[in-house]
Amino acid sequence: MMSPAVVKESQPGAKGSSSIRTALEAAQKSGDILKETRDNVLRWLDQNTESWMTDSLAELVESKSWTELNDRFFKNLAFGTGGLRGRTIGNVVTAAERGKVSVLGRPEHPAVGTNCMNGVNVRRATQGLVDYVISWKKKQGSDAPPVLVFAHDTRHFSREFAELAARTVAENGGTAWLFESERSTPELSFAVRHLEADAGVVVTASHNPPYDNGYKAYFSDGAQVVAPHADGIIDCVNKAKGATPIPGGSVKTVGPEIDRLYVERLKTLLLEPELVRKEGGKIKIVYTPLHGTGIKIIPEMLKELGFNVIVEPKQAVGDGRFPTVKSPNPENSEALTLAIRLAEKEKADLVIATDPDADRMGVAVRTRAGKMELLTGNQIGSILANYRLDRMFETHLLNTTNNSRACLIKTFVTTDLQRAIAEKHHVRIVETLTGFKYIGAKLRKYEEMAVAAWKKAGTQSLEKWKDLSEERKRALLLDFSYYYVFGGEESYGYSASDFVRDKDANAAALMFSEVAVYARSRGLSVADYLQGIYRVYGYYHEKLGQLVYTGAEGASKIKKILKSYEENSPKKIHGLDVVSFQNHAKDEIRDIDGDVLPKELMFFLKLSNGTRFAVRGSGTEPKIKFYLFASCRPDHGQFTDVQVSQAREELPKQLDALWEAVKKDAEERAG
């Protein structure tokens, strides 16, 4: 549903840019707007001449919507390591922006503003990305025109932004591959690799509110850009100017052929394909795409494999308003309400929900008592990691001679249960900074290691890595590098392959459905399977606390809190001593491979009772996040069900109390 917005009805056509300039000068002198806001508005007026934009600014000035102007113009929308993300529909929607409203209630034009997600910023970002690709290719000795792939989700303006970006590539003499309609983020990653493109972009704001949109950039390996490419792209975007059109460019359509190739690769993730074909029909699944792109792949793929799939009808149609949910985020229980209701009616075993760009997946499972129970991202990831390792050892894909070259990859803020699972199976556990781009970077490293050793051994064929079968890649990685069994992050993102270099809800839906079949074949529910994990490893509980601070004032508060942690870290929290403090912005931290991790403004604090918490600013939303961890592990042997139940009751209380103390401390730091 659309965020509440004020629509200004004034008609400012007679009020030109000179009047706007005069009013801005007065507003800045009186303190109504920031100097940066005034400067950015004036620069915008000099560079953008479309009449509706000038009219929109005049409306905001006439109505003295100073807070709105500050939020829209206090900075340039930063092209960070993940691309762009910001409001594409203002909190105040002007009549000029509203124009001819679409059938879905969307304004005709995106929000005007240097800090908004609009056509001006999309073109600037694309030009900078193209400039970087051209310079990078020249350094590699190639003068070939750039080739980029574009996908988009169902959000407001996503199609228009993707088309604009594709045209920008063509104007630079390059080739732009544009999906015929909305597609998921992981399929974009797959397409970049399959089409051997130089880079790719998906226009999406993932699970953000409907008034947001974004622009995620990928490099030739199919992963989101990281250093040094990220730094180079950011520099080029900041310097981007309008390009002189170069002939020979084109926009080409990507159609269902990529869907089919992608699905065939997804099917290779099944570890018990015969069991799935034989027993899959006994599992009834309710699926919801939450009005997003998952509908393109998941239902048909699961049905082809024999699963009994029911799609939640009210949420099956792409709709950028996301009208049936408060937030299209499978992390939020409310988003699964309709699907769970349908599952109760149909007596389904499993509910699967994916976010608008289908990179995140949430689930609910039926317990032995017959109730639908929501699982956390940490629980889902731990189930998948444990299942895949167990099955790989039982089917001898992994054994005591090659297990040291298998690995799980998780982010630092993901549950330590996955570390315990890796250690029990004697496989490597690799920890990365938050963001799947860092997992993607590891996959590139392991591929390059395998290919280099393969060449050195003199056995490399003419085949390209991307064209090898999954079995062949696994053998090479286990021989020469490290084989990626599974990876994930607590925020409902998972993957188990290198043919996609980002989190993949299409893959996760398939893998989790297989777990349900396997559990059923042994007389268990998925909830029973999870309980078995807790008996073996102990109970692990995590809590995510968030403080939301929007707009220019909010950004200042977030910065203030993080700076205070760096300069004056807590010595005691909730009556407990802070026994260790790790500063990822300053400390040199190396991972298990010996690689120095990039600096990030993130802090880890360990308390005297063994609980831990981490603090970091969100890279995609105006909030600061606090990750809290507690665990209760058996001293020897295994836990009984009674001991698991006791821990399930006590640890949430422990972290709830800790969060209240951490939140109070943070709010005091904000001022």
Side-chain angles (χ1 to χ4, degrees), residues 412-474:
F412 284 108
V413 296
T414 298
T415 178
D416 288 331
L417 175 54
Q418 290 172 30
R419 171 177 286 280
I421 289 169
E423 290 172 348
K424 181 177 183 296
H425 289 86
H426 302 288
V427 303
R428 290 161 62 88
I429 181 73
V430 183
E431 291 192 293
T432 71
L433 295 176
T434 305
F436 241 83
K437 62 190 173 211
Y438 296 113
I439 296 179
K442 281 295 180 186
L443 298 183
R444 183 182 68 248
K445 176 187 176 77
Y446 296 156
E447 175 192 337
E448 290 172 350
M449 287 172 61
V451 170
W454 191 20
K455 287 181 179 179
K456 189 175 181 180
T459 56
Q460 183 181 8
S461 72
L462 295 177
E463 289 181 281
K464 296 178 180 177
W465 182 265
K466 73 177 183 63
D467 296 327
L468 296 176
S469 69
E470 296 307 305
E471 293 81 5
R472 181 65 176 137
K473 284 194 291 185
R474 179 170 61 240

Coordinates of all heavy atoms in Angstrom, one line a residue, residues 412-474:
F412 N 29.0 -12.5 9.4 CA 29.3 -12.4 10.8 C 28.1 -12.4 11.7 O 28.1 -12.8 12.8 CB 30.2 -11.2 11.1 CG 31.6 -11.4 10.7 CD1 32.1 -10.7 9.6 CD2 32.5 -12.2 11.4 CE1 33.4 -10.9 9.2 CE2 33.8 -12.3 11.1 CZ 34.3 -11.7 9.9
V413 N 27.0 -11.8 11.2 CA 25.8 -11.5 12.0 C 24.8 -12.7 11.8 O 23.6 -12.6 12.3 CB 25.1 -10.2 11.7 CG1 26.1 -9.0 12.0 CG2 24.7 -10.1 10.2
T414 N 25.2 -13.8 11.2 CA 24.4 -15.0 11.1 C 24.7 -15.9 12.2 O 25.8 -16.0 12.7 CB 24.6 -15.6 9.7 OG1 24.2 -14.7 8.7 CG2 23.8 -16.9 9.6
T415 N 23.7 -16.7 12.6 CA 23.8 -17.6 13.8 C 25.0 -18.4 13.9 O 25.5 -19.0 12.9 CB 22.5 -18.5 13.8 OG1 22.7 -19.4 15.0 CG2 22.4 -19.3 12.6
D416 N 25.6 -18.6 15.1 CA 26.7 -19.4 15.3 C 26.3 -20.9 15.2 O 27.2 -21.8 15.2 CB 27.3 -19.2 16.7 CG 28.0 -17.8 16.7 OD1 28.6 -17.4 15.7 OD2 28.1 -17.2 17.8
L417 N 25.0 -21.2 15.1 CA 24.6 -22.6 15.0 C 25.2 -23.2 13.7 O 25.6 -24.3 13.6 CB 23.1 -22.7 14.9 CG 22.5 -24.1 14.6 CD1 23.0 -25.2 15.5 CD2 21.0 -24.0 14.7
Q418 N 25.3 -22.3 12.6 CA 25.9 -22.8 11.4 C 27.4 -23.1 11.5 O 27.9 -24.0 10.9 CB 25.6 -21.8 10.3 CG 24.1 -21.9 9.9 CD 23.7 -20.8 8.9 OE1 24.5 -20.3 8.1 NE2 22.5 -20.3 9.0
R419 N 28.1 -22.4 12.4 CA 29.5 -22.7 12.7 C 29.6 -24.0 13.4 O 30.4 -24.9 13.0 CB 30.1 -21.6 13.6 CG 31.5 -22.0 14.1 CD 32.0 -20.8 15.0 NE 32.5 -19.7 14.1 CZ 33.6 -19.7 13.4 NH1 34.4 -20.8 13.5 NH2 33.9 -18.7 12.7
A420 N 28.7 -24.3 14.3 CA 28.7 -25.6 15.0 C 28.4 -26.7 14.0 O 29.0 -27.8 14.1 CB 27.7 -25.6 16.1
I421 N 27.5 -26.5 13.1 CA 27.2 -27.5 12.1 C 28.4 -27.8 11.2 O 28.7 -29.0 10.9 CB 26.0 -27.1 11.2 CG1 24.7 -27.1 12.1 CG2 25.8 -28.0 10.0 CD1 23.5 -26.4 11.4
A422 N 29.1 -26.8 10.8 CA 30.3 -27.0 9.9 C 31.4 -27.7 10.7 O 32.0 -28.7 10.2 CB 30.8 -25.6 9.5
E423 N 31.6 -27.3 12.0 CA 32.6 -28.0 12.7 C 32.4 -29.4 13.0 O 33.3 -30.3 13.0 CB 32.8 -27.2 14.1 CG 33.4 -25.8 13.9 CD 33.4 -25.0 15.1 OE1 32.8 -25.4 16.1 OE2 34.1 -23.9 15.1
K424 N 31.1 -29.8 13.2 CA 30.8 -31.2 13.5 C 31.0 -32.0 12.2 O 31.4 -33.2 12.3 CB 29.3 -31.4 13.9 CG 28.9 -32.8 14.2 CD 27.5 -32.9 14.7 CE 27.1 -34.3 15.0 NZ 27.2 -35.2 13.9
H425 N 30.8 -31.5 11.1 CA 31.0 -32.2 9.8 C 32.5 -32.0 9.3 O 32.8 -32.5 8.3 CB 30.1 -31.7 8.7 CG 28.7 -32.1 8.9 ND1 27.8 -31.4 9.7 CD2 27.9 -33.1 8.5 CE1 26.6 -31.9 9.7 NE2 26.7 -33.0 9.0
H426 N 33.3 -31.3 10.1 CA 34.7 -31.1 9.7 C 34.9 -30.4 8.4 O 35.8 -30.8 7.6 CB 35.5 -32.4 9.8 CG 35.4 -33.1 11.2 ND1 36.1 -32.6 12.3 CD2 34.7 -34.1 11.6 CE1 35.8 -33.3 13.3 NE2 35.0 -34.3 12.9
V427 N 34.0 -29.4 8.1 CA 34.2 -28.6 6.9 C 34.5 -27.2 7.3 O 34.3 -26.8 8.4 CB 32.9 -28.7 6.0 CG1 32.6 -30.1 5.6 CG2 31.8 -28.0 6.6
R428 N 35.1 -26.4 6.4 CA 35.5 -25.1 6.7 C 34.2 -24.2 6.9 O 33.2 -24.4 6.2 CB 36.3 -24.5 5.5 CG 37.6 -25.1 5.4 CD 38.2 -24.8 4.0 NE 38.4 -23.4 3.7 CZ 39.5 -22.7 4.0 NH1 40.5 -23.3 4.6 NH2 39.5 -21.4 3.6
I429 N 34.4 -23.2 7.8 CA 33.3 -22.2 8.0 C 34.0 -20.9 7.6 O 35.0 -20.5 8.3 CB 32.7 -22.2 9.4 CG1 31.6 -21.1 9.5 CG2 33.8 -22.1 10.5 CD1 30.3 -21.5 8.8
V430 N 33.5 -20.2 6.6 CA 34.0 -18.9 6.2 C 33.0 -17.9 6.6 O 31.8 -18.0 6.3 CB 34.2 -18.9 4.6 CG1 34.8 -17.6 4.2 CG2 35.0 -20.1 4.2
E431 N 33.5 -16.8 7.2 CA 32.7 -15.7 7.7 C 33.0 -14.5 6.9 O 34.2 -14.1 6.7 CB 32.8 -15.5 9.2 CG 32.2 -16.6 10.0 CD 32.1 -16.2 11.5 OE1 33.1 -16.0 12.1 OE2 30.9 -16.1 12.0
T432 N 32.0 -13.8 6.4 CA 32.1 -12.6 5.6 C 31.4 -11.4 6.3 O 30.6 -11.6 7.2 CB 31.6 -12.7 4.2 OG1 30.2 -12.8 4.3 CG2 32.1 -14.0 3.6
L433 N 31.7 -10.2 5.7 CA 30.9 -9.0 6.1 C 29.4 -9.2 5.6 O 29.1 -10.1 4.8 CB 31.5 -7.8 5.5 CG 32.9 -7.4 6.0 CD1 33.4 -6.2 5.3 CD2 32.8 -7.1 7.5
T434 N 28.5 -8.4 6.2 CA 27.1 -8.5 5.8 C 27.0 -8.1 4.3 O 27.5 -7.1 3.8 CB 26.3 -7.5 6.6 OG1 26.5 -7.8 8.0 CG2 24.8 -7.7 6.3
G435 N 26.2 -8.9 3.6 CA 26.0 -8.7 2.2 C 26.4 -9.8 1.3 O 27.6 -10.3 1.5
F436 N 25.6 -10.3 0.5 CA 25.9 -11.5 -0.3 C 27.0 -11.2 -1.3 O 27.6 -12.1 -1.9 CB 24.6 -12.0 -1.0 CG 24.3 -13.4 -0.6 CD1 23.6 -13.7 0.5 CD2 24.7 -14.5 -1.4 CE1 23.3 -15.0 0.9 CE2 24.4 -15.8 -1.0 CZ 23.7 -16.0 0.1
K437 N 27.3 -9.9 -1.6 CA 28.3 -9.6 -2.5 C 29.7 -10.2 -2.0 O 30.5 -10.5 -2.8 CB 28.4 -8.1 -2.7 CG 28.8 -7.3 -1.5 CD 28.6 -5.8 -1.7 CE 28.8 -5.1 -0.4 NZ 28.0 -3.9 -0.3
Y438 N 29.8 -10.3 -0.7 CA 31.1 -10.8 -0.2 C 31.1 -12.3 -0.3 O 32.2 -12.9 -0.5 CB 31.2 -10.4 1.3 CG 31.4 -8.9 1.4 CD1 30.4 -8.1 2.0 CD2 32.5 -8.2 0.9 CE1 30.5 -6.8 2.2 CE2 32.6 -6.9 1.0 CZ 31.6 -6.1 1.6 OH 31.7 -4.8 1.7
I439 N 30.0 -13.0 -0.3 CA 29.9 -14.4 -0.6 C 30.2 -14.6 -2.0 O 31.0 -15.5 -2.4 CB 28.6 -15.0 -0.2 CG1 28.4 -14.9 1.4 CG2 28.4 -16.5 -0.7 CD1 27.0 -15.5 1.9
G440 N 29.7 -13.8 -2.9 CA 29.9 -13.8 -4.3 C 31.4 -13.7 -4.6 O 32.0 -14.3 -5.5
A441 N 32.1 -12.8 -3.9 CA 33.5 -12.6 -4.1 C 34.3 -13.8 -3.7 O 35.3 -14.1 -4.4 CB 34.0 -11.4 -3.2
K442 N 33.9 -14.5 -2.7 CA 34.5 -15.8 -2.3 C 34.4 -16.8 -3.4 O 35.3 -17.6 -3.7 CB 34.0 -16.3 -1.0 CG 34.5 -15.6 0.2 CD 36.0 -15.9 0.4 CE 36.6 -15.2 1.6 NZ 38.1 -15.4 1.7
L443 N 33.2 -16.9 -4.0 CA 32.9 -17.8 -5.1 C 33.8 -17.6 -6.3 O 34.3 -18.5 -6.9 CB 31.5 -17.8 -5.5 CG 30.5 -18.2 -4.4 CD1 29.1 -18.3 -4.9 CD2 30.8 -19.6 -3.8
R444 N 34.0 -16.3 -6.6 CA 34.9 -15.9 -7.6 C 36.4 -16.4 -7.3 O 37.1 -16.9 -8.2 CB 34.9 -14.4 -7.9 CG 35.8 -14.0 -9.1 CD 35.8 -12.5 -9.3 NE 36.5 -11.8 -8.2 CZ 35.9 -11.0 -7.4 NH1 34.6 -10.8 -7.5 NH2 36.5 -10.3 -6.5
K445 N 36.8 -16.1 -6.1 CA 38.1 -16.5 -5.6 C 38.3 -18.0 -5.8 O 39.4 -18.5 -6.3 CB 38.4 -16.1 -4.2 CG 39.7 -16.6 -3.6 CD 39.7 -16.2 -2.1 CE 41.0 -16.7 -1.5 NZ 42.2 -15.9 -1.7
Y446 N 37.3 -18.8 -5.3 CA 37.5 -20.3 -5.4 C 37.4 -20.8 -6.8 O 38.1 -21.7 -7.2 CB 36.4 -20.9 -4.6 CG 36.5 -20.6 -3.1 CD1 35.3 -20.7 -2.3 CD2 37.7 -20.2 -2.5 CE1 35.4 -20.4 -0.9 CE2 37.8 -19.9 -1.2 CZ 36.6 -19.9 -0.4 OH 36.7 -19.6 1.0
E447 N 36.6 -20.1 -7.7 CA 36.7 -20.5 -9.1 C 38.0 -20.2 -9.7 O 38.6 -21.1 -10.4 CB 35.6 -19.7 -9.9 CG 35.6 -19.9 -11.4 CD 34.8 -18.9 -12.1 OE1 33.8 -18.4 -11.6 OE2 35.0 -18.7 -13.3
E448 N 38.6 -19.0 -9.4 CA 39.9 -18.7 -10.0 C 41.0 -19.6 -9.5 O 41.9 -20.0 -10.3 CB 40.2 -17.2 -9.7 CG 39.3 -16.2 -10.4 CD 39.5 -14.8 -9.9 OE1 40.1 -14.6 -8.9 OE2 38.9 -13.9 -10.6
M449 N 40.9 -20.0 -8.3 CA 41.9 -21.0 -7.7 C 41.8 -22.3 -8.5 O 42.8 -22.9 -8.9 CB 41.6 -21.2 -6.2 CG 42.0 -20.1 -5.3 SD 41.5 -20.3 -3.6 CE 42.4 -21.8 -3.2
A450 N 40.6 -22.8 -8.7 CA 40.4 -24.1 -9.3 C 40.9 -24.0 -10.8 O 41.5 -24.9 -11.3 CB 38.9 -24.5 -9.3
V451 N 40.5 -22.9 -11.5 CA 40.9 -22.8 -12.9 C 42.4 -22.7 -13.1 O 43.0 -23.3 -14.0 CB 40.2 -21.6 -13.5 CG1 40.7 -21.3 -14.9 CG2 38.7 -21.8 -13.6
A452 N 43.0 -21.9 -12.2 CA 44.5 -21.8 -12.2 C 45.2 -23.1 -12.0 O 46.1 -23.5 -12.8 CB 45.0 -20.8 -11.2
A453 N 44.7 -23.9 -11.0 CA 45.3 -25.2 -10.8 C 45.0 -26.2 -11.9 O 45.9 -27.0 -12.2 CB 44.8 -25.7 -9.4
W454 N 43.8 -26.1 -12.4 CA 43.4 -26.9 -13.5 C 44.3 -26.7 -14.7 O 44.8 -27.6 -15.4 CB 42.0 -26.5 -13.9 CG 41.2 -27.4 -14.8 CD1 41.5 -28.7 -15.1 CD2 40.0 -27.1 -15.5 NE1 40.5 -29.2 -16.0 CE2 39.6 -28.2 -16.2 CE3 39.3 -25.9 -15.6 CZ2 38.5 -28.2 -17.0 CZ3 38.1 -25.9 -16.4 CH2 37.8 -27.1 -17.1
K455 N 44.6 -25.4 -15.0 CA 45.5 -25.1 -16.1 C 46.9 -25.6 -15.9 O 47.6 -26.2 -16.7 CB 45.6 -23.6 -16.3 CG 44.3 -23.0 -17.0 CD 44.5 -21.5 -17.1 CE 43.3 -20.8 -17.8 NZ 43.5 -19.4 -17.9
K456 N 47.4 -25.4 -14.6 CA 48.7 -25.8 -14.3 C 48.9 -27.3 -14.4 O 50.0 -27.8 -14.8 CB 49.0 -25.4 -12.8 CG 50.5 -25.6 -12.4 CD 50.7 -25.0 -11.1 CE 52.2 -25.2 -10.6 NZ 52.5 -24.6 -9.3
A457 N 47.8 -28.1 -14.1 CA 47.9 -29.5 -14.2 C 47.8 -30.0 -15.7 O 48.0 -31.2 -15.9 CB 46.7 -30.1 -13.4
G458 N 47.6 -29.0 -16.6 CA 47.6 -29.4 -18.0 C 46.4 -30.2 -18.4 O 46.4 -30.8 -19.5
T459 N 45.3 -30.1 -17.6 CA 44.1 -30.9 -18.0 C 42.9 -30.1 -18.4 O 41.8 -30.6 -18.6 CB 43.7 -31.8 -16.8 OG1 43.5 -30.9 -15.6 CG2 44.8 -32.8 -16.4
Q460 N 43.1 -28.8 -18.5 CA 42.0 -27.9 -18.9 C 41.5 -28.2 -20.3 O 42.3 -28.2 -21.2 CB 42.3 -26.4 -18.7 CG 41.1 -25.5 -19.0 CD 41.4 -24.1 -18.8 OE1 42.6 -23.7 -18.7 NE2 40.4 -23.2 -18.9
S461 N 40.2 -28.4 -20.4 CA 39.6 -28.5 -21.8 C 39.3 -27.1 -22.3 O 39.6 -26.1 -21.7 CB 38.4 -29.4 -21.7 OG 37.3 -28.6 -21.1
L462 N 38.6 -27.1 -23.5 CA 38.2 -25.8 -24.1 C 37.0 -25.3 -23.5 O 36.5 -24.2 -23.8 CB 38.0 -26.0 -25.6 CG 39.3 -26.4 -26.4 CD1 39.0 -26.7 -27.8 CD2 40.4 -25.3 -26.2
E463 N 36.3 -26.1 -22.5 CA 35.1 -25.6 -21.9 C 35.3 -24.4 -21.0 O 36.4 -24.3 -20.3 CB 34.5 -26.8 -21.1 CG 33.9 -27.9 -22.0 CD 33.3 -29.0 -21.1 OE1 34.0 -29.8 -20.5 OE2 32.0 -29.0 -20.9
K464 N 34.3 -23.6 -20.9 CA 34.4 -22.5 -20.0 C 33.8 -22.9 -18.7 O 32.9 -23.8 -18.6 CB 33.6 -21.3 -20.5 CG 34.2 -20.7 -21.8 CD 33.4 -19.5 -22.3 CE 34.0 -19.0 -23.6 NZ 33.2 -17.9 -24.2
W465 N 34.2 -22.3 -17.6 CA 33.7 -22.7 -16.3 C 32.2 -22.7 -16.2 O 31.6 -23.7 -15.7 CB 34.3 -21.8 -15.2 CG 33.9 -22.2 -13.8 CD1 32.9 -21.7 -13.1 CD2 34.6 -23.1 -13.0 NE1 32.9 -22.2 -11.8 CE2 33.9 -23.1 -11.8 CE3 35.7 -24.0 -13.2 CZ2 34.3 -24.0 -10.7 CZ3 36.1 -24.8 -12.1 CH2 35.4 -24.8 -10.9
K466 N 31.6 -21.7 -16.7 CA 30.1 -21.6 -16.6 C 29.4 -22.7 -17.3 O 28.2 -23.0 -17.0 CB 29.6 -20.2 -17.1 CG 29.7 -20.1 -18.6 CD 29.2 -18.8 -19.1 CE 29.2 -18.7 -20.6 NZ 28.3 -19.7 -21.3
D467 N 30.1 -23.3 -18.3 CA 29.4 -24.4 -19.1 C 29.6 -25.8 -18.6 O 29.0 -26.7 -19.0 CB 30.0 -24.3 -20.6 CG 29.6 -23.0 -21.3 OD1 28.5 -22.5 -21.0 OD2 30.4 -22.5 -22.1
L468 N 30.5 -25.9 -17.5 CA 30.7 -27.2 -17.0 C 29.5 -27.7 -16.2 O 28.7 -26.8 -15.6 CB 31.9 -27.1 -16.0 CG 33.3 -26.8 -16.6 CD1 34.3 -26.7 -15.5 CD2 33.7 -27.9 -17.6
S469 N 29.3 -28.9 -16.1 CA 28.2 -29.5 -15.3 C 28.5 -29.2 -13.8 O 29.7 -29.0 -13.4 CB 28.1 -31.0 -15.5 OG 29.2 -31.7 -14.9
E470 N 27.5 -29.2 -13.0 CA 27.7 -29.0 -11.6 C 28.6 -30.1 -10.9 O 29.4 -29.8 -10.0 CB 26.4 -28.9 -10.8 CG 25.5 -27.7 -11.3 CD 26.3 -26.4 -11.2 OE1 26.8 -26.0 -10.1 OE2 26.4 -25.7 -12.2
E471 N 28.4 -31.3 -11.4 CA 29.2 -32.4 -10.9 C 30.7 -32.2 -11.2 O 31.6 -32.4 -10.4 CB 28.8 -33.7 -11.6 CG 27.4 -34.2 -11.1 CD 26.3 -33.5 -11.9 OE1 26.6 -32.7 -12.9 OE2 25.1 -33.8 -11.6
R472 N 31.0 -31.7 -12.5 CA 32.4 -31.5 -12.9 C 33.0 -30.3 -12.0 O 34.2 -30.4 -11.6 CB 32.5 -31.2 -14.4 CG 33.9 -30.9 -14.9 CD 34.7 -32.2 -14.8 NE 36.0 -31.9 -15.4 CZ 37.2 -32.4 -14.8 NH1 37.2 -33.0 -13.7 NH2 38.3 -32.1 -15.4
K473 N 32.2 -29.3 -11.8 CA 32.7 -28.1 -11.1 C 33.0 -28.6 -9.6 O 34.0 -28.2 -9.0 CB 31.7 -27.0 -11.1 CG 31.7 -26.2 -12.4 CD 31.0 -24.9 -12.3 CE 29.5 -25.1 -12.1 NZ 28.8 -23.8 -12.1
R474 N 32.1 -29.4 -9.1 CA 32.3 -29.9 -7.7 C 33.6 -30.6 -7.6 O 34.4 -30.4 -6.6 CB 31.1 -30.7 -7.2 CG 31.3 -31.3 -5.8 CD 30.1 -31.9 -5.3 NE 29.6 -33.0 -6.1 CZ 28.5 -33.1 -6.7 NH1 27.6 -32.1 -6.6 NH2 28.2 -34.2 -7.4

